[in-house]
Amino acid sequence: ILNVEQSPQSLHVQEGDSTNFTCSFPSSNFYALHWYRWETAKSPEALFVMTLNGDEKKKGRISATLNTKEGYSYLYIKGSQPEDSATYLCAVSWGKLQFGAGTQVVVTP
Amino acid sequence: EAQVTQNPRYLITVTGKKLTVTCSQNMNHEYMSWYRQDPGLGLRQIYYSMNVEVTDKGDVPEGYKVSRKEKRNFPLILESPSPNQTSLYFCASSFLGVLNTEAFFGQGTRLTVV
């Protein structure tokens, strides 16, 4: 089992503040790094899939970076809004998809 | 509309009574998989399938069976459910064995075994 770790487990953010959190994984046997957003009572939805070292992806106020050599990815939320409240899952693809436990983000007005 | 459909959404059953959770996708994806989600543990893979008639165990396969007779369907079978299988289950599908393509998830099935 590939060990995919996410930190912190949860965080509270004031509306308008920016935040970031981490996904770390063994740097060997790496194919791709996925980020998903999972809102309560819904299904996880893909945000980004990244494969290359140094890759950066952006969707609106959310962006992600990838460092495959040291085995980590950061997800950034700029100017957090209440609708950003969700659990953010990262997953590493190495023939199958191995998920981390997620970071729960709560944005308060 | 491209989607992964799971049924039922909610199920309460008794220990030992066989049940099947269905999963169907309309995107012609080769790869399908089942996950269970438990608090603090993230999504753990139960079984996956790379194509028709090709299935393999994930990280937590004990107590589950699957089949892949058609490309679009991937049912999860619990032959003799036990209370420790109470969980939230997700089916997912993608192209190319999820190497670099996103996975699409079903709506989830919340199973309670009493």
Side-chain angles (χ1 to χ4, degrees):
Chain A
I1 297 179
L2 200 68
N3 195 25
V4 180
E5 295 185 353
Q6 291 188 246
S7 63
Q9 189 174 19
S10 65
L11 59 91
H12 286 73
V13 187
Q14 204 70 22
E15 182 177 358
D17 288 350
S18 296
T19 188
N20 66 83
F21 38 94
T22 308
C23 173
S24 61
F25 53 91
S27 55
S28 59
N29 299 318
F30 173 83
Y31 287 131
L33 189 288
H34 299 225
W35 281 102
Y36 293 84
R37 176 166 58 200
W38 185 14
E39 297 178 65
T40 303
K42 294 186 177 181
S43 308
E45 291 185 347
L47 286 170
F48 308 113
V49 179
M50 298 184 288
T51 57
L52 300 175
N53 184 46
D55 205 0
E56 293 186 24
K57 299 265 188 177
K58 187 175 181 182
K59 183 181 287 189
R61 294 177 292 97
I62 299 178
S63 60
T65 60
L66 176 64
N67 184 321
T68 61
K69 293 182 179 179
E70 296 184 30
Y72 65 84
S73 174
Y74 291 130
L75 191 83
Y76 300 88
I77 305 176
K78 184 179 179 182
S80 303
Q81 299 297 309
E83 58 264 30
D84 296 327
S85 296
T87 296
Y88 291 83
L89 298 168
C90 78
V92 175
S93 169
W94 57 296
K96 58 179 183 176
L97 203 56
Q98 189 79 38
F99 282 86
T103 293
Q104 183 181 27
V105 175
V106 177
V107 182
T108 50
Chain B
E1 180 189 354
Q3 59 185 1
V4 179
T5 304
Q6 281 179 242
N7 279 298
R9 294 288 307 278
Y10 302 92
L11 179 59
I12 301 175
T13 190
V14 296
T15 298
K17 185 177 181 181
K18 181 180 178 179
L19 66 91
T20 299
V21 184
T22 62
C23 174
S24 181
Q25 51 92 6
N26 62 0
M27 295 169 278
N28 202 35
H29 286 162
E30 300 92 355
Y31 187 94
M32 297 185 74
S33 61
W34 277 102
Y35 298 88
R36 60 178 288 174
Q37 196 275 328
D38 301 292
L41 295 178
L43 290 172
R44 293 183 294 167
Q45 192 176 54
I46 303 170
Y47 268 94
Y48 64 98
S49 169
M50 302 289 274
N51 216 322
V52 175
E53 302 292 1
V54 180
T55 62
D56 208 348
K57 296 178 180 179
D59 300 321
V60 288
E62 294 78 19
Y64 304 94
K65 286 175 57 176
V66 293
S67 68
R68 188 90 181 273
K69 294 185 171 64
E70 305 164 284
K71 197 171 188 178
R72 63 185 292 126
N73 296 324
F74 191 46
L76 180 70
I77 303 156
L78 285 72
E79 294 271 2
S80 182
S82 62
N84 64 12
Q85 293 178 298
T86 292
S87 188
L88 177 61
Y89 291 86
F90 284 103
C91 177
S93 73
S94 71
F95 288 117
L96 299 175
V98 301
L99 291 184
N100 59 359
T101 60
E102 66 182 275
F104 291 81
F105 286 82
Q107 312 95 309
T109 296
R110 187 165 292 282
L111 172 65
T112 302
V113 184
V114 298

